[in-house]
Amino acid sequence: MESRLPKANFQFKVPARTATAAPSSINAIKANLTASTSDAKASTVKTVETSKNMSATSSASKTDENKAPMTRTNTLTTQSKVNGIARGAVKRTGANVNNVIEPKRANLKTTMKPTGIRPVRPATTIGALRSATASGAVKSTSAATKNLRVANAASTATTSKTTGAKPSKWDLKGRLEYTNNELTALKQKHKDVTSQFNDIQEEIISLRESESTNRLKAETLEKTYSKINDEIKSLKSKIDELTKERDRLSEELKESKELYEETAKSLEEFKNDVETKATLIKNQTNEIAQLKEELEEHKKSSTKEINELTAKNNDLSDLVMDLDKDRRALHNAIQELKGNIRVFCRIRPKIPKEASKNLCTINYLDECTLEISKAEDAYSNKVKQRNEFSFDRVFPPNSTQEDVFKELSMLVQSALEGYNVCVFAYGQTGSGKTYTMEGFPGTETEGMIPRTVKHIFKEMKHFEMLGWEYKIEASFLEIYNEQIVDLLDYQRKSHDIRMADSKGTDLYVTNLLVQEINSPEELNQCLLMAQENRAMAATQSNERSSRSHSVARIRLIGTHSGKQEVCIGNLNLVDLAGSERLKNEEAARIAETKNINKSLANLGHVILALLQKQDHIPYRNSKLTHLLMPSLGGNSKTLMLLNISPLDEAFNESLNSLRFGFNVNNCKTGTVKKVKTTM
Ligand SMILES: Nc1ncnc2c1ncn2[C@@H]1O[C@H](COP(=O)(O)OP(=O)(O)OP(=O)(O)O)[C@@H](O)[C@H]1O
């Protein structure tokens, strides 16, 4: 869009000379006037020739007018430079001074040449004005200029009138009068010119004012122009943006149209589909309603059957409960028949590192009896000492962990049913106690403790079906040198054995960490921690594991909300210290050996006292028997697992162990009673 406004670099200036030009003109006029007056005065005293000279000058001037314009123009130019009058006159040649003063001025020198401006005589102001007016350089409508012309004309006329015909040379009086008249006329002329001069000055002031107003206007216009220019620029960029946006929107519209068409199409398809499905649903609703009616009828007939079945179910539940009771009673009876203190004997196999060592001679007479003799006896002619021992079960070296646990699981079942159970692993160092109780991770090699926990969790599900909920707690401790050590706590604390109730049927250990077990994995973690703690202690005391009793205590708390019954079974799995006899001098030196011997011997005494049904059972003579008191008394089932090394070098210790186990097996603790409490 092309602006109609003038270009931004347009400058509206009035040169400083313009302002000074007028006064120069005025000065020139004044000078001329003075000159004229002087001339006039002089002419009163001068001869007529002077007048003639003046006329001559005038005519010369007129004659000059007829000369070539080029010459006159040059003269004008020269005159203008010298005298401001011409310049001032030229300045006002424009029709509109306000607007075109400067351009006209700038062109003055060059444009005047071809227009044939007559030279303005500096001495004759009126002539200069006339000359300027006649040349067309001053086209101003200025009233002052016009007036000046008229005044000059009038003045000239008046002068002519007043002066009249020139008197003769000799008529001095007449000449004086003539000169006086001429002077009067010139005075009048001076007055008129002065008046004209004032008018011109006023006009100049007014022009100056309008010039400054116009300048302000021009500045304002300039600002407005630049503002509008900026606006135009910003509008242009907006138009560009809008054009782009319009194009983008057009594109989007096109895409939307396509999408709309596609959606409309799929909507139509969906509509048809919905209509089909609605019909289908309607049909199905009718069918459902029909089925509901049928069902309602069926329900009515079934309710009777359901009630009958519910009654039968209740009867069956009662029957199951009764059967469970009977099963438990039978199970317990079987256990009692098997004996409340049972002894199993396990002979471990020869391990690779013992390849060069001799083995004892062990004959397995049946699954409960074995016969043992030293290897050398088989080759000598000595009369063999009969070393035959019978136990509840004998496990030869090829027996697996699973074989042993099959028998043990019956006792775990008893613990779940609320009996206290104690399992001892007894035997000399290296006979396989730890292997039997803990074993190694893996289905084949894991020992009695992890298997017991797995069995408990498996059986718990069956018990849950009968309404029992179980909570399992576990603690691991060690009795070393007649001191209890918590194997689940890295901090060493002092522990005591206290009675849990006034009857003394249950005991607990002070400061002992008891961990709630929610999965077999959790118990395995506890077992690992206990092994780690035991190993740490072993670094302080050589062969520590062989010289301490390790006890894993698992407490099973069963709750039957329907029967309002709670049954608590305690399971103690004990890995006893090595039962070997140390040499006398060595034993005398080592306090721990004394304690081991003491506790193992006391275990024998307790069992014997139980066997003989003595009134006093010396449970408190050692920490071990004191701790295991509830599991050794009447209300318990005890399993002694005798571990025997097959090595010939261990024969004597094996014989001792077999004798000890045999004695225990013969101990009768009477009928045990189940721990039953009411909630
Ligand atoms: N039934 C078995 N089958 C295979 N290896 C066995 C068996 N019983 C024991 N062992 C191995 O015999 C070695 C000694 O067994 P273990 O450490 O269990 O004896 P221990 O009586 O616990 O000894 P300690 O009283 O010193 O702890 C171990 O290397 C063990 O792996």
Side-chain angles (χ1 to χ4, degrees):
M1 206 164 76
E2 192 93 322
S3 170
R4 286 184 200 168
L5 291 163
K7 298 268 180 186
N9 59 2
F10 172 76
Q11 288 188 341
F12 196 88
K13 278 185 192 166
V14 177
R17 275 195 295 172
T18 312
T20 53
S24 301
S25 305
I26 293 155
N27 290 336
I29 292 165
K30 276 182 182 172
N32 287 340
L33 281 171
T34 317
S36 300
T37 313
S38 317
D39 286 348
K41 280 178 183 170
S43 63
T44 53
V45 286
K46 278 181 186 173
T47 59
V48 176
E49 271 183 25
T50 312
S51 294
K52 273 182 185 175
N53 287 342
M54 281 174 72
S55 302
T57 311
S58 175
S59 54
S61 180
K62 276 177 188 172
T63 314
D64 288 346
E65 280 175 17
N66 298 327
K67 283 183 185 173
M70 282 302 283
T71 319
R72 283 197 298 269
T73 309
N74 287 340
T75 314
L76 175 64
T77 311
T78 317
Q79 295 284 345
S80 297
K81 281 175 187 170
V82 175
N83 194 330
I85 294 172
R87 197 181 288 166
V90 171
K91 251 187 234 169
R92 286 185 294 277
T93 53
N96 188 346
V97 179
N98 286 344
N99 296 332
V100 289
I101 287 172
E102 186 60 26
K104 287 285 180 189
R105 245 183 65 77
N107 293 333
L108 180 62
K109 284 180 188 173
T110 48
T111 51
M112 279 178 79
K113 282 178 189 176
T115 49
I117 296 168
R118 281 189 294 176
V120 178
R121 284 186 302 178
T124 318
T125 309
I126 297 162
L129 285 168
R130 266 194 200 144
S131 166
T133 311
S135 69
V138 180
K139 283 180 185 173
S140 170
T141 50
S142 164
T145 314
K146 278 179 188 172
N147 290 342
L148 187 60
R149 243 191 300 165
V150 174
N152 286 342
S155 169
T156 312
T158 315
T159 311
S160 308
K161 274 179 197 173
T162 47
T163 51
K166 244 180 183 176
S168 305
K169 282 184 181 176
W170 48 266
D171 189 5
L172 289 172
K173 196 180 172 186
R175 280 177 65 187
L176 181 66
E177 195 183 343
Y178 177 84
T179 307
N180 277 341
N181 287 341
E182 216 172 26
L183 183 65
T184 312
L186 282 171
K187 274 183 181 170
Q188 181 60 44
K189 195 178 170 184
H190 174 253
K191 199 178 167 187
D192 290 346
V193 168
T194 308
S195 155
Q196 296 300 322
F197 167 73
N198 291 337
D199 288 349
I200 287 167
Q201 251 187 339
E202 277 173 20
E203 194 182 351
I204 286 164
I205 290 164
S206 123
L207 280 171
R208 275 185 191 159
E209 281 171 1
S210 74
E211 181 199 346
S212 75
T213 315
N214 284 336
R215 195 179 290 159
L216 284 173
K217 273 184 187 172
E219 280 170 9
T220 315
L221 279 170
E222 224 173 289
K223 280 178 190 167
T224 314
Y225 167 75
S226 110
K227 202 175 160 189
I228 287 170
N229 232 9
D230 291 348
E231 273 178 25
I232 285 165
K233 273 183 196 167
S234 100
L235 280 171
K236 262 185 184 174
S237 76
K238 270 187 188 168
I239 284 166
D240 287 349
E241 278 174 21
L242 285 170
T243 312
K244 277 180 195 167
E245 182 67 11
R246 186 199 62 197
D247 293 348
R248 195 182 60 74
L249 286 171
S250 302
E251 196 58 38
E252 271 184 21
L253 185 70
K254 198 180 161 192
E255 282 172 14
S256 298
K257 263 185 184 173
E258 284 172 9
L259 192 72
Y260 168 76
E261 279 164 14
E262 270 177 36
T263 313
K265 201 179 163 188
S266 54
L267 193 71
E268 192 62 36
E269 284 171 11
F270 182 70
K271 210 175 160 187
N272 293 337
D273 196 32
V274 166
E275 276 170 11
T276 318
K277 279 179 181 161
T279 318
L280 199 71
I281 287 167
K282 201 178 167 188
N283 293 340
Q284 280 176 353
T285 312
N286 291 337
E287 273 177 38
I288 288 166
Q290 209 175 331
L291 282 169
K292 257 186 184 174
E293 279 175 25
E294 283 174 23
L295 192 72
E296 206 60 41
E297 281 174 25
H298 191 68
K299 222 176 170 183
K300 279 176 194 168
S301 62
S302 301
T303 311
K304 200 181 163 191
E305 281 177 35
I306 288 165
N307 289 340
E308 283 172 11
L309 283 170
T310 310
K312 271 185 191 172
N313 189 37
N314 291 340
D315 290 347
L316 280 170
S317 292
D318 290 345
L319 191 67
V320 167
M321 292 300 285
D322 290 344
L323 284 172
D324 182 52
K325 252 185 198 172
D326 293 346
R327 186 196 59 77
R328 284 173 184 234
L330 277 169
H331 176 78
N332 194 47
I334 292 164
Q335 298 308 310
E336 279 178 9
L337 281 171
K338 282 186 175 179
N340 291 326
I341 292 186
R342 258 173 279 167
V343 181
F344 293 168
C345 179
R346 186 181 195 186
I347 295 97
R348 73 160 173 86
K350 188 178 181 180
I351 54 175
K353 69 175 181 184
E354 300 165 342
S356 60
K357 292 187 176 176
N358 288 329
L359 299 178
C360 300
T361 308
I362 302 172
N363 294 319
Y364 301 95
L365 304 177
D366 58 45
E367 64 172 16
C368 297
T369 314
L370 63 82
E371 189 184 45
I372 187 166
S373 58
K374 272 188 82 70
E376 61 194 39
D377 291 348
Y379 308 107
S380 68
N381 293 324
K382 270 205 267 175
V383 180
K384 274 200 266 177
Q385 187 190 341
R386 274 189 73 83
N387 293 315
E388 192 180 298
F389 299 97
S390 284
F391 302 101
D392 292 283
R393 185 75 196 263
V394 172
F395 294 100
N398 59 355
S399 306
T400 62
Q401 299 277 58
E402 182 59 31
D403 293 336
V404 180
F405 187 70
K406 253 185 208 163
E407 292 297 324
L408 183 72
S409 64
M410 307 297 272
L411 294 180
V412 177
Q413 195 73 23
S414 291
L416 275 165
E417 289 168 11
Y419 293 94
N420 288 339
V421 175
C422 189
V423 179
F424 295 105
Y426 185 95
Q428 71 175 112
T429 297
S431 60
K433 300 184 295 292
T434 309
Y435 181 87
T436 303
M437 296 307 276
E438 294 175 12
F440 299 111
T443 43
E444 293 292 316
T445 49
E446 65 187 2
M448 299 305 113
I449 297 172
R451 281 171 199 271
T452 297
V453 177
K454 276 187 183 171
H455 183 81
I456 289 167
F457 276 97
K458 197 175 139 200
E459 285 300 306
M460 260 166 54
K461 285 179 186 163
H462 298 150
F463 281 95
E464 274 169 18
M465 285 165 75
L466 296 170
W468 287 95
E469 271 184 29
Y470 275 89
K471 184 182 168 191
I472 304 171
E473 291 173 354
S475 54
F476 288 78
L477 61 90
E478 181 186 51
I479 301 170
Y480 173 71
N481 225 356
E482 284 300 278
Q483 296 291 317
I484 292 174
V485 179
D486 189 347
L487 292 177
L488 292 184
D489 194 354
Y490 289 109
Q491 291 176 348
R492 290 287 167 257
K493 293 172 188 164
S494 67
H495 305 277
D496 279 328
I497 300 166
R498 299 259 169 87
M499 279 194 293
D501 53 31
S502 55
K503 293 175 201 165
T505 49
D506 199 10
L507 295 175
Y508 74 96
V509 179
T510 59
N511 296 325
L512 190 72
L513 275 182
V514 179
Q515 192 76 37
E516 191 174 329
I517 304 292
N518 297 301
S519 67
E521 290 73 32
E522 275 184 31
L523 187 109
N524 282 338
Q525 275 179 1
C526 290
L527 187 61
L528 281 173
M529 194 176 171
Q531 284 170 344
E532 204 178 297
N533 267 337
R534 221 180 166 199
M536 269 171 63
T539 57
Q540 294 157 10
S541 167
N542 194 29
E543 297 290 325
R544 167 84 172 250
S545 71
S546 309
R547 293 161 190 260
S548 67
H549 310 298
S550 155
V551 185
R553 289 162 69 86
I554 298 169
R555 195 172 170 83
L556 304 165
I557 306 155
T559 315
H560 195 292
S561 50
K563 288 201 281 183
Q564 294 281 297
E565 256 185 47
V566 177
C567 73
I568 302 165
N570 288 299
L571 194 58
N572 292 282
L573 302 160
V574 188
D575 182 356
L576 290 169
S579 60
E580 62 275 10
R581 305 275 188 274
L582 293 174
K583 288 172 195 166
N584 281 341
E585 61 273 24
E586 201 177 352
R589 275 190 284 116
I590 304 169
E592 68 185 27
T593 313
K594 279 184 189 170
N595 286 324
I596 293 166
N597 289 340
K598 187 182 156 193
S599 62
L600 286 176
N602 198 53
L603 184 64
H605 294 149
V606 167
I607 290 168
L608 278 173
L610 288 166
L611 182 69
Q612 291 157 9
K613 295 185 180 168
Q614 289 177 5
D615 292 336
H616 176 70
I617 313 291
Y619 290 116
R620 292 169 190 259
N621 280 2
S622 72
K623 278 269 166 21
L624 180 71
T625 47
H626 190 188
L627 182 75
L628 297 175
M629 191 172 80
S631 304
L632 293 169
N635 190 21
S636 66
K637 295 172 191 303
T638 306
L639 173 66
M640 180 72 77
L641 256 169
L642 282 185
N643 290 90
I644 303 293
S645 166
L647 299 181
D648 195 45
E649 64 187 27
F651 177 77
N652 289 333
E653 287 302 333
S654 299
L655 212 56
N656 284 333
S657 297
L658 289 166
R659 281 178 188 146
F660 175 80
F662 187 73
N663 287 339
V664 171
N665 197 36
N666 289 331
C667 177
K668 304 290 174 194
T669 56
T671 308
V672 294
K673 281 183 183 153
K674 194 168 134 183
V675 180
K676 227 183 236 183
T677 50
T678 310
M679 281 199 294

